[in-house]
Each structure stands twice: as C-alpha cells, then as structure tokens.
C-alpha cells in the first residue's frame, strides 16, 4: 500500500465532446449523455472531489430504517435463525421501496403541520364553546327557564353532553357527513373536554395553559423511558441468533487486488456469481459476461490504495464486500472507501436468493459499515449511492434512504432531497440551489494553472499551450477544467500526446 505522504498523482485522459447513447434504465436510444475521462491512476482525494461535483449522497449518521427496511432485516434474521423463506413474490429489482415508505417520507412534514393545525382548531373550538356557554347561561338567568341548581358546573359534571360541546348526530340517509362541521369525537374525548371546561371556568388563566400542555400529542413529547426509543440500524442487523441457527451469514471486506490472497482465492467463485446475475437479472448474453469484461468492470480499479494515520484500519481504496452464506458467496457489493464517504459502485447476487431482498439488505449493511468507519475516522460521514434519476423507478428508490442530499448541477452544493422533489416533478433538469446569485465556487478560474503531462514532463497548461498549433485543443482543455474544477485541475495530470 502507498503511504499517505508519498502518493503518485492522478493521471487522466479527457475525451472531447459529449456522447449520446442508449440509456440502460429508461431504454431511450439517445437518453444517456456523458463526458468521458479515462483514469490511468487516481488518488482517493481526487476521486472524492470529483464525486462532490456530480454524485448523490446519503447522511448515514442520522439514518433511520423505514418500515420496509425493517421488514427486510427481519426477513433475513428469520431466514438465518429458522430457515424461514418469505412467501411474498421474489423481486427482480429488490432495491425498490414499498409504497408506504414513499408516503411516510414524502408527507412526513405535512403530517407535522396537520398536527399543529388540529391543535389550533381544537383550541379555537374550545374558546367558542366557552363563549357560547356564557351566552346561554345569561339567557337562562333572564328568562328563568332553568333553575339555579342546573347551572353549568353541574351540567359539566354530569354524564349528559354539555350543550356547548359539538356533538354530531348520524347523517340522514343518502346525505353523508356534514363536512362543514368538525369530525365526531370519541365519548372519552368529550368527557375530558367537559372536565377541562369546568376547570377553566374556575381558573381560566392557569388551567388553559395547563390544558395546552396536556393536549400535546404523544409524538411531540419526549419519550418517558429509554425503552420507547426505536431500535437502531445496528440493533436490527446484529440481533443475536440462537445457537442452533439454521444458517450462518458472514460479511467479508476484501481489497480489490490480485495480490491479496483472499481476493485471489475467491475470484473464481465471485466471477461465476457475476455471470449468473448478469444473465438472469439483466439478460446479458454469455459472450458479454466474460472474465475479461468482469475484471475490467469490477476488478481493475484506478484508485491508488492509501493508508492514513487518521484513516480507517482497512485503508482507502476499492473493496469487495462479500456475503458468505454457509460457506458460499451469495452477493458481492463493490464499494470505494474515500476520505469523506463510502461510495457504492455495484452489487451482484445469486438470483436464487432474491427472496432475501439482497439489494436493500446490502445497502443497509453498507450504511451501517459507513457508521462503523466514522467512529474511527470522524470526517468519513457520508454514503454515496451514485446517480439519482427521479423519473426512473430503478433509480428512484435511492430517494428512500433518508436523510439524503442531491447535488446542484450548476453550483455543486448539496441540497436536501425534500427541497428538490417538487422541482423534479415539474422538470427533468433542475437547478436545486434556490439562490439565483450563487455560482460554482470551485469552478476553474485560472486554466493556465491546470497541470499537463506531456512527453514525460509535467507543466502548467499556460506553458503547454505555447507549444501547440491546434486551436481546437484549447476548447477541450477548458471543457475538462470546467467539469473537474480548479482544485482537481491543479492536482491531477491531464495526459496529452
């Protein structure tokens, strides 16, 4: 492994222009657009900075699993403990969330607002009820229609509903409920309101304040005991299994290097699993799933492995997280561990175990792993899931891992996804930064300081361009500088020949 102090610089080649090709998700023949750059070598810091100029991240430190996430974890625990297999349909794309998660996450803020609105409406109704009660009491005193013994206090203490409380009778057949009136309350709630009304008449100022405090819904009050706290992600994942458990699951972190004995010894089994996954899930023909394609795609990382005194024990670089069930690999998560994040690259798994929702399960394990690394390396606090495509169900599931952020494509600042969704519903391309004056602070301001690797020599672009006669080359270099930003353009070496 390379030491932190003596690292070779990143060397990249940039391919001019923008390519349009078929999108594997929406199937549009020209729906995918990209700028190409080939990395001969790449430091983890440069890759971290490039990610922060074009990807999406999740905040795992505040992450709480949703209902469907918990179901997946419990499903795995039941399978490991008792061998139980879910009777539900096996998922071809197990990364997608359930409808209940979409509702709970997208409308969580609305529900909170509804709670406050209901409390305000309830207090307004209470005030009107008191005023109505006073008017009726005065009217009774003037007309002497009711004796003094039947005053308001006795009525409030009786079992009969007070005339000041809004009690709704059943609607006439065919007419339905009267929507102009508040919904009916339970008898218990009505009795409580009567009691509060009585106390408020005795001490209006003090009891009203006390009533408001007692009326707060349980969701807004602090938990009474620690036992009321929901289980953490780690509690759900690492729940203890019985000694006679039916299965054993082990997750191994293996560096992507043929010099690593564990990676080398498991390569054949990992490759066979990849072929099985690609052919079954993505319907790839056998000639597109060869060992060469697999190695180039998932085993030949340009990332330079680095060890830092303050970094994680495993170091930085590219890794395979292998999921071993009863002695065989059933899934492999390909990840990059960087200075500030864990970046999820790819997952392939055994289709025979689709009933375990391994896509969701592996993502949750990777989030838990990020939190584990954070304990040793505090600055490593994000989990990147790659591109987010709002209009594509196969990519939209990433929005259910919250709290999370999307990167503004113009100013390159992270914006909470809740603020981005309304804009994405209206347009496929959006500027998420709401400040119209904001600009890309990391943009290339001095392109002549860009570093070029030419004829085995390193030089600033300002020196290099004096030796060139092709004016079209400058446009490509400036486009590269705009995309990678000033900091990366000064650290990385742009290869020219």
């Amino acid at each position: 492994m390379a030491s932190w102090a003596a690292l070779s610089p990143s060397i990249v080649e940039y391919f001019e222009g923008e390519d349009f090709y078929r999108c594997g998700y929406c199937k549009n023949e020209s729906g995918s657009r990209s700028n190409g750059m080939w990395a001969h070598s790449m430091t983890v810091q440069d890759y971290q900075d490039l990610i922060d100029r074009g990807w999406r991240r999740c905040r795992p430190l505040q992450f709480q699993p949703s209902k469907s996430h918990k179901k997946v974890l419990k499903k795995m625990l039941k399978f490991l403990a008792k061998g139980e297999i879910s009777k539900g349909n096996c998922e071809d794309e197990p990364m997608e969330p359930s409808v209940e998660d979409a509702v709970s996450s997208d409308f969580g803020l609305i529900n909170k607002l509804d709670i406050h609105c209901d409390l305000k409406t309830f207090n307004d109704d209470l005030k009107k009820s008191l005023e109505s009660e006073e008017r009726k009491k005065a009217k009774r005193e003037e007309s002497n229609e009711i004796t003094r013994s039947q005053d308001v206090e006795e009525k409030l203490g009786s079992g009969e509903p007070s005339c000041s409380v809004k009690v709704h009778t059943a609607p006439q057949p065919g007419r339905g409920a009267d929507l102009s009136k508040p919904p009916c309350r339970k008898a218990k709630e009505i009795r409580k309101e009567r009691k509060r009304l009585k106390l408020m008449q005795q001490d209006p100022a003090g009891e009203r304040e006390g009533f408001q405090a007692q009326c707060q819904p349980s969701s807004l009050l602090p938990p009474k005991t620690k036992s009321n706290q929901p289980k953490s992600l780690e509690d759900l994942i690492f729940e203890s299994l019985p000694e006679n458990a039916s299965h054993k699951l082990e997750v191994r972190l293996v560096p992507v290097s043929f010099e690593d004995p564990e990676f080398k010894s498991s390569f054949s089994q990992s490759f066979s699993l990849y072929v099985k996954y690609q052919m079954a899930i993505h319907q790839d023909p056998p000639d597109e799933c060869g060992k060469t394609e697999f190695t180039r795609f998932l085993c030949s990382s340009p990332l330079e492995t680095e060890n830092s005194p303050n970094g994680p024990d495993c170091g930085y670089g590219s890794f395979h997280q292998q999921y071993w069930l009863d002695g065989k690999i059933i899934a492999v998560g390909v990840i990059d561990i960087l200075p500030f994040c864990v970046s999820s690259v790819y997952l392939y798994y055994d289709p025979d175990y689709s009933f375990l929702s391994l896509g969701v399960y592996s993502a949750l394990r990777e989030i838990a792993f990020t939190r584990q690394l954070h304990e040793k390396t505090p600055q490593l606090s994000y989990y990147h899931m790659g591109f987010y495509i709002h209009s594509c169900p196969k990519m939209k599931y990433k929005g259910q891992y919250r709290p999370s952020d999307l990167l503004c494509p113009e100013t390159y600042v992270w914006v909470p996804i809740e603020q981005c969704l309304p804009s994405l519903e209206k347009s496929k391309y959006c500027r998420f930064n709401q400040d119209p004056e904001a600009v890309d602070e990391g943009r290339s301001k001095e392109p002549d300081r860009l570093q070029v690797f030419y004829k085995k020599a390193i030089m600033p672009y300002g020196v290099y361009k004096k030796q060139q006669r092709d004016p079209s080359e400058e446009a490509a270099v400036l486009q590269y500088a705009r995309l990678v930003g000033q900091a990366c353009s000064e650290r990385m070496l742009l290869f020219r020949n």
Side-chain angles (χ1 to χ4, degrees), residues 46-58:
D46 287 339
Y47 188 43
Q48 174 71 70
D49 290 347
L50 290 175
I51 278 184
D52 286 336
R53 292 184 65 83
W55 280 35
R56 176 189 176 277
R57 70 183 182 187
C58 170

Side-chain angles (χ1 to χ4, degrees), residues 124-164:
D124 291 344
D125 289 346
L126 184 61
K127 183 177 179 181
K128 292 178 181 178
S129 297
L130 286 171
E131 293 173 352
S132 174
E133 187 67 30
E134 291 296 330
R135 286 196 300 270
K136 291 185 178 182
K137 182 178 177 181
K139 186 176 181 180
R140 287 195 299 271
E141 289 176 348
E142 293 175 2
S143 61
N144 293 322
E145 293 178 356
I146 302 178
T147 63
R148 290 291 178 181
S149 61
Q150 293 176 313
D151 58 12
V152 175
E153 290 185 8
E154 290 179 346
K155 293 186 69 178
L156 290 173
S158 68
E160 297 298 323
S162 167
C163 58
S164 67

